[in-house]
Amino acid sequence: MRISTIIVNTSLAMIFATSTAFARVPKTEGTKLIISVKSTEDQKEDCGVVRSSLFALIKNQLRFVPRVTGPAAFSLEVRCSAGNLAGRFFMTNGKDSAVNIAVFDLALSDQKTMKSPSTVAELWAKIVEKLPWSGEILTLNKAEPPADRPRIEGNVDLRAKGIVSMGLDSNNLLGACIPLEIGSITTLPDGSGVTFKTEYPGLLREVDSFQSRLEIYALNEKINLQKIYVVRLGDPAKQPKGMGEAVKYCQSKPNAAAPTKVADLMSEVFGKDFIEVNNIKQRYGAAFTVIRGTNGAKANALAAAYIHNRLLFGGNFMIDAFALRSLYSKPWNFSALTELAPPEVTAAEVFVTTSARFGRFSGFIGLGLTIDKTNLPYNQVTPDGSGVSHTNQRTAFTRGGAIIGTNTDLSSRFEYALRIPVSQRNGNVYIDFHNMLSYRLSATWTTGADLMVIKTSAREPGAPSAVVTALGMFLGVEVGK
């Protein structure tokens, strides 16, 4: 027998992977489904065409992503023979022994039909129909109950949102707000097969062509966002207490999940295999700002605008960018000099971080750059030390550094965050503090306040440093969880 092997990526593999403290830690190589195509010498050409058709079909369905190397937890074996095309779906979990999950033999009236795309599609569809689940959860992120729906104590409540490979093309009877069973696949004790183990109730929130949106509900359990789950249709008559109200809210808010499509567009740009944009936060604010120089120069009233953006890729990779710019100010208070240019402040930070979550707390740490410009006035002495030559205004420069911080959910609506950027230049270390308190107005909009303390330095040796303190109010938008 001649054996050819191809590998496809699937969210089902690694179901039995060990959990860690990180939320949805991305796998470097992804999780994989191996499709092993066996063919006899006289049928190897036909089975090569079948293999290529399967590869393209599976890839286009967005349920599994084809790959050509690496281990896998599941395998699909296709056998080509005269008058028959057979498919076997196994769970291997990376071991030599395999558990047969689904089998289908397709009788061929004509040998030429083996190469037909419709024949290959029929084989794959029949195998998928025999799986003890209806779809795989491709992405899963933490979620909280909508701000406009009161929390119901003692009943199930929204805990997570995600993308599921279950849409109109897989069942034209599916629609929004129907109940789902979320579970995992476990091997039977005798190793003769697998069974679906129900873990949480859920709802199909939005239905799309191949990939749809779902919500997972739970009583008080903490959902393991790293674990891979599969789903099947639930029985409306057997739903836990509280799911009835969840269905009513879903039906009354048909577009509640629509803003998260922005994250989908971003994931289309950055790719869905290993890096997914799971959360986007943008905050825009105005701040009252003061400057204090170590040489006594003061600026007591500046109006500034600031912006803070965060992009969360996967579960623990984040880009954190902040910028502040003064727009209006009163003159400098510095008796040693007159006719000074108006005070100006520009500060920017860009960091690449990794994060971890522990209950209501999450922490992050990373590296990046700090860029600042503050035109602090001071007297520049001539090289021979004989006197003052002129007033020097500072130019912008960049410092390398790191950042450490934390986010804390104080309640379902209040969140506190602390950012501590640390940078250095010419042997001097500069530590900034950025405190943020936000209030969730709705599932998308937030508002709150920032207190920032930014330390800046000058390019010229001997020039004074400055401390910029800003108190601001912001309006923010958040997409994804």
Side-chain angles (χ1 to χ4, degrees):
M1 297 290 288
R2 183 181 179 86
I3 300 176
S4 302
T5 302
I6 61 173
I7 299 175
V8 298
N9 193 7
T10 176
S11 61
L12 282 178
M14 305 303 291
I15 281 181
F16 306 99
T18 303
S19 302
T20 67
F22 291 101
R24 277 190 56 80
V25 178
K27 309 295 189 304
T28 304
E29 295 297 333
T31 52
K32 298 180 174 66
L33 168 65
I34 298 177
I35 298 179
S36 180
V37 181
K38 298 181 180 180
S39 60
T40 59
E41 290 296 330
D42 59 335
Q43 294 295 323
K44 62 181 181 180
E45 181 180 350
D46 288 341
C47 228
V49 174
V50 171
R51 183 185 61 184
S52 299
S53 296
L54 274 172
F55 192 93
L57 175 65
I58 295 172
K59 180 179 180 180
N60 291 336
Q61 284 187 352
L62 303 179
R63 185 166 179 172
F64 309 126
V65 181
R67 288 288 179 255
V68 294
T69 59
F74 294 85
S75 66
L76 176 64
E77 182 182 274
V78 180
R79 298 179 180 179
C80 305
S81 62
N84 183 268
L85 184 62
R88 303 288 187 271
F89 194 101
F90 298 94
M91 182 172 70
T92 63
N93 200 27
K95 301 178 180 178
D96 294 334
S97 60
V99 180
N100 198 334
I101 299 178
V103 177
F104 186 77
D105 292 348
L106 186 62
L108 304 175
S109 59
D110 186 347
Q111 188 65 39
K112 295 181 180 179
T113 61
M114 183 182 295
K115 298 182 181 180
S116 170
S118 60
T119 301
V120 175
E122 181 182 359
L123 176 69
W124 175 244
K126 294 297 184 181
I127 292 175
V128 169
E129 287 178 3
K130 290 179 175 292
L131 298 179
W133 63 86
S134 302
E136 305 81 31
I137 295 181
L138 306 178
T139 65
L140 191 62
N141 306 288
K142 179 184 175 183
E144 293 184 353
D148 57 351
R149 182 170 70 84
R151 188 184 297 273
I152 304 174
E153 297 296 336
N155 292 329
V156 295
D157 225 332
L158 177 64
R159 299 294 180 183
K161 294 182 179 181
I163 304 296
V164 60
S165 60
M166 185 175 175
L168 288 174
D169 286 350
S170 60
N171 188 329
N172 57 15
L173 298 179
L174 294 183
C177 305
I178 67 171
L180 299 174
E181 293 182 16
I182 288 83
S184 56
I185 301 299
T186 59
T187 307
L188 294 175
D190 59 1
S192 61
V194 298
T195 183
F196 181 98
K197 179 183 177 182
T198 301
E199 299 194 32
Y200 306 105
L203 290 178
L204 193 61
R205 194 65 174 84
E206 284 185 73
V207 179
D208 208 342
S209 179
F210 285 110
Q211 295 181 355
S212 301
R213 296 186 173 277
L214 87 162
E215 297 176 341
I216 297 181
Y217 289 74
L219 183 58
N220 295 311
E221 302 95 330
K222 178 182 177 182
I223 296 178
N224 183 358
L225 300 180
Q226 183 185 347
K227 186 175 180 179
I228 305 300
Y229 298 96
V230 293
V231 305
R232 66 184 183 187
L233 296 181
D235 186 348
K238 298 180 180 179
Q239 295 302 302
K241 183 180 179 181
M243 285 301 292
E245 294 190 27
V247 172
K248 291 179 181 179
Y249 178 83
C250 178
Q251 294 171 341
S252 65
K253 302 286 185 177
N255 298 318
T260 53
K261 289 183 177 179
V262 175
D264 284 347
L265 295 176
M266 294 294 290
S267 64
E268 290 287 350
V269 175
F270 289 97
K272 295 183 178 180
D273 294 349
F274 313 129
I275 300 179
E276 301 158 355
V277 181
N278 288 333
N279 182 270
I280 303 173
K281 285 185 179 180
Q282 292 185 328
R283 302 191 298 115
Y284 305 90
F288 175 82
T289 308
V290 298
I291 307 175
R292 296 290 185 268
T294 54
N295 65 339
K298 301 178 182 178
N300 293 326
L302 284 83
Y306 63 93
I307 181 174
H308 185 199
N309 289 318
R310 279 181 175 174
L311 293 177
L312 180 65
F313 296 84
N316 67 328
F317 175 73
M318 184 172 68
I319 295 179
D320 184 301
F322 172 81
L324 180 143
R325 169 64 180 170
S326 61
L327 303 177
Y328 168 81
S329 64
K330 292 184 178 181
W332 281 103
N333 179 7
F334 189 43
S335 58
L337 294 171
T338 59
E339 298 181 359
L340 299 174
E344 290 186 4
V345 175
T346 301
E349 301 164 354
V350 179
F351 293 96
V352 177
T353 72
T354 183
S355 62
R357 174 167 286 276
F358 307 92
R360 294 186 305 167
F361 299 87
S362 65
F364 59 92
I365 187 171
L367 302 174
L369 298 175
T370 296
I371 306 170
D372 65 51
K373 175 183 178 181
T374 305
N375 65 337
L376 188 72
Y378 66 98
N379 292 326
Q380 185 181 41
V381 179
T382 57
D384 60 2
S386 59
V388 176
S389 61
H390 61 274
T391 300
N392 196 343
Q393 301 294 339
R394 183 174 310 175
T395 58
F397 64 94
T398 302
R399 299 190 300 263
I403 190 172
I404 187 172
T406 182
N407 286 65
T408 305
D409 296 327
L410 301 178
S411 68
S412 61
R413 289 181 177 263
F414 283 96
E415 177 188 9
Y416 170 75
L418 172 65
R419 303 168 69 252
I420 305 179
V422 181
S423 58
Q424 71 86 28
R425 181 178 175 82
N426 295 331
N428 297 321
V429 177
Y430 302 87
I431 302 176
D432 300 339
F433 294 91
H434 185 171
N435 298 273
M436 182 273 288
L437 180 65
S438 71
Y439 176 78
R440 183 171 294 280
L441 298 171
S442 68
T444 303
W445 295 95
T446 62
T447 188
D450 291 271
L451 176 61
M452 296 159 277
V453 179
I454 303 171
K455 296 183 179 181
T456 69
S457 63
R459 180 188 299 272
E460 296 79 5
S465 299
V467 176
V468 179
T469 305
L471 178 62
M473 299 289 291
F474 71 85
L475 181 66
V477 61
E478 181 175 359
V479 176
K481 286 293 181 181

